[in-house]
Amino acid sequence: MAKEAKKIAKENNLECKILSEDYFISHNMGAISAVGRASRHKSKLIHLTYKPKTKTKKKIVFVGKGLTYDSGGLSLKPSDFMVTMKSDKSGAVTVLGIIKAISELGLDIEVHAILGAAENMIGGNAYKPDDVLRAKNGKTIEVRNTDAEGRLVLVDCLCYAQEEIKEFDEIYDFATLTGACVVGVGEYTCGVMGFDKEKIENIINTGEKTGEHFAYLPFNKYLPKLLKSEIADICNIASSRYGGALTAGLFLSEFIEKENKEKWTHLDIAGPAYVEKEWGYNQAGASGAGVRMCLYWLSSLAKS
């Protein structure tokens, strides 16, 4: 994934920064570091930047979950559930596709694409249930299930984005985050969560114009207690099996700074990112979920 990002950056005159384990250790990124620890393929944070030649109208950040393979870790998936887990990198591939297309279109918008690339495997040095991890912003996380790993990768990437990219206007994360989202809204629909309902409504409406489907999943004040931990600031899974897409989104929201809450939107693309049969405009397999919607919206934004 890092090699592909470098290639795309070179072809499209993008800035490209590849960060790995030494950086994670020196910058206290204990969550992404833990997830990829048992893999022979070392985790990477890939940061691509597109800056237009003319004066920029907006600065937008996209963050993508890039689990190049997800075995479930020590909370091992049944073999049937491992099939297609090569697709768990779809969120990162989506944001890579977005910034590639934006640069080719030459839009007057500054775009940052941050990919959290890791492989969740088993081994003697794998992270495990009962571990307590420390994320980049200092918050501690109790691990109760190593198969809830995508959110761990994402929180360090989201913290990195908020610290390193100054004065951005909006931040979006894309992730094949939960099976619960697929159960809730089906294979062909992305779940959208956040605190700015107008922005979410715009995503839903724009998606309908581009052949993609998005559904608003509303947070409520009772759900955060399900993530309570007795030994850390937060637990990586909820204490209830219900509302899993929402509690995963709320977990991410705990790592969004107060001043950025309204700027942040979470898109769970677990359903449409990879479907083993043709549907709508999409062939079987990877769909690039979210790319068309974002390009249509950003193109409209650049013209306004």
Side-chain angles (χ1 to χ4, degrees):
M1 189 171 281
K3 287 179 181 177
E4 187 66 22
K6 287 179 182 177
K7 178 184 174 184
I8 288 171
K10 185 176 181 180
E11 291 172 348
N12 295 278
N13 198 30
L14 305 173
E15 295 176 22
C16 181
K17 188 186 297 184
I18 309 290
L19 305 173
S20 196
E21 193 63 28
D22 289 345
Y23 185 90
F24 301 155
I25 292 170
S26 62
H27 288 76
N28 302 313
M29 298 173 73
I32 186 173
S33 178
V35 171
R37 202 163 64 203
S39 173
R40 62 187 294 270
H41 306 291
K42 298 308 175 187
S43 302
K44 301 284 192 295
L45 186 151
I46 303 160
H47 181 181
L48 298 173
T49 305
Y50 164 74
K51 293 183 179 179
K53 296 177 181 178
T54 55
K55 185 178 179 182
T56 183
K57 295 182 178 180
K58 291 273 189 179
K59 185 187 291 189
I60 312 291
V61 181
F62 295 101
V63 178
K65 171 189 169 184
L67 266 292
T68 54
Y69 193 79
D70 179 21
S71 70
L74 292 180
S75 305
L76 193 66
K77 293 178 184 289
S79 57
D80 287 352
F81 285 80
M82 282 192 221
V83 177
T84 75
M85 276 299 102
K86 62 186 180 183
S87 68
D88 213 18
K89 59 183 176 291
S90 297
V93 175
T94 287
V95 303
L96 189 58
I98 290 168
I99 198 167
K100 179 180 185 291
I102 291 298
S103 63
E104 291 172 350
L105 292 170
L107 300 185
D108 297 336
I109 298 168
E110 182 175 329
V111 174
H112 293 260
I114 296 169
L115 292 64
E119 187 178 52
N120 187 22
M121 299 295 283
I122 59 174
N125 63 337
Y127 85 118
K128 52 196 176 294
D130 277 348
D131 279 354
V132 175
L133 311 178
R134 189 178 300 275
K136 192 178 193 315
N137 67 348
K139 282 194 175 183
T140 54
I141 305 164
E142 177 188 356
V143 177
R144 289 197 173 182
N145 189 323
T146 64
D147 197 23
E149 84 300 324
R151 64 198 70 182
L152 300 177
V153 170
L154 280 173
V155 295
D156 268 345
C157 291
L158 287 167
C159 291
Y160 168 89
Q162 292 171 93
E163 291 179 21
E164 298 296 324
I165 304 168
K166 308 301 180 187
E167 298 179 352
F168 58 83
D169 295 289
E170 299 175 33
I171 182 168
Y172 298 84
D173 73 72
F174 287 83
T176 48
L177 205 61
T178 67
C181 191
V182 190
V183 172
V185 299
E187 287 184 293
Y188 310 114
T189 302
C190 303
V192 190
M193 288 154 262
F195 301 100
D196 186 332
K197 291 184 180 179
E198 184 177 342
K199 190 188 302 179
I200 292 170
E201 190 66 32
N202 182 51
I203 288 171
I204 294 169
N205 292 337
T206 304
E208 290 302 316
K209 296 174 184 175
T210 58
E212 296 189 285
H213 301 288
F214 298 86
Y216 172 44
L217 303 181
F219 295 145
N220 70 60
K221 64 183 180 181
Y222 302 105
L223 288 171
K225 66 181 181 181
L226 300 177
L227 294 166
K228 180 175 169 47
S229 168
E230 298 297 333
I231 60 172
D233 293 318
I234 195 168
C235 187
N236 81 320
I237 58 166
S239 57
S240 168
R241 63 181 294 186
Y242 302 111
L246 285 163
T247 52
L250 279 168
F251 177 88
L252 298 178
S253 77
E254 290 296 314
F255 296 83
I256 302 295
E257 299 299 326
K258 186 177 180 180
E259 64 271 20
N260 296 325
K261 293 284 189 187
E262 296 288 328
K263 298 178 181 180
W264 169 74
T265 306
H266 164 56
L267 296 99
D268 191 330
I269 61 172
Y274 190 94
V275 175
E276 295 187 275
K277 49 189 174 292
E278 295 176 2
W279 60 284
Y281 295 114
N282 304 287
Q283 76 287 350
S287 69
V291 176
R292 290 199 303 269
M293 181 276 293
C294 284
L295 291 180
Y296 188 95
W297 158 62
L298 291 171
S299 296
S300 301
L301 194 64
K303 293 173 184 176
S304 62

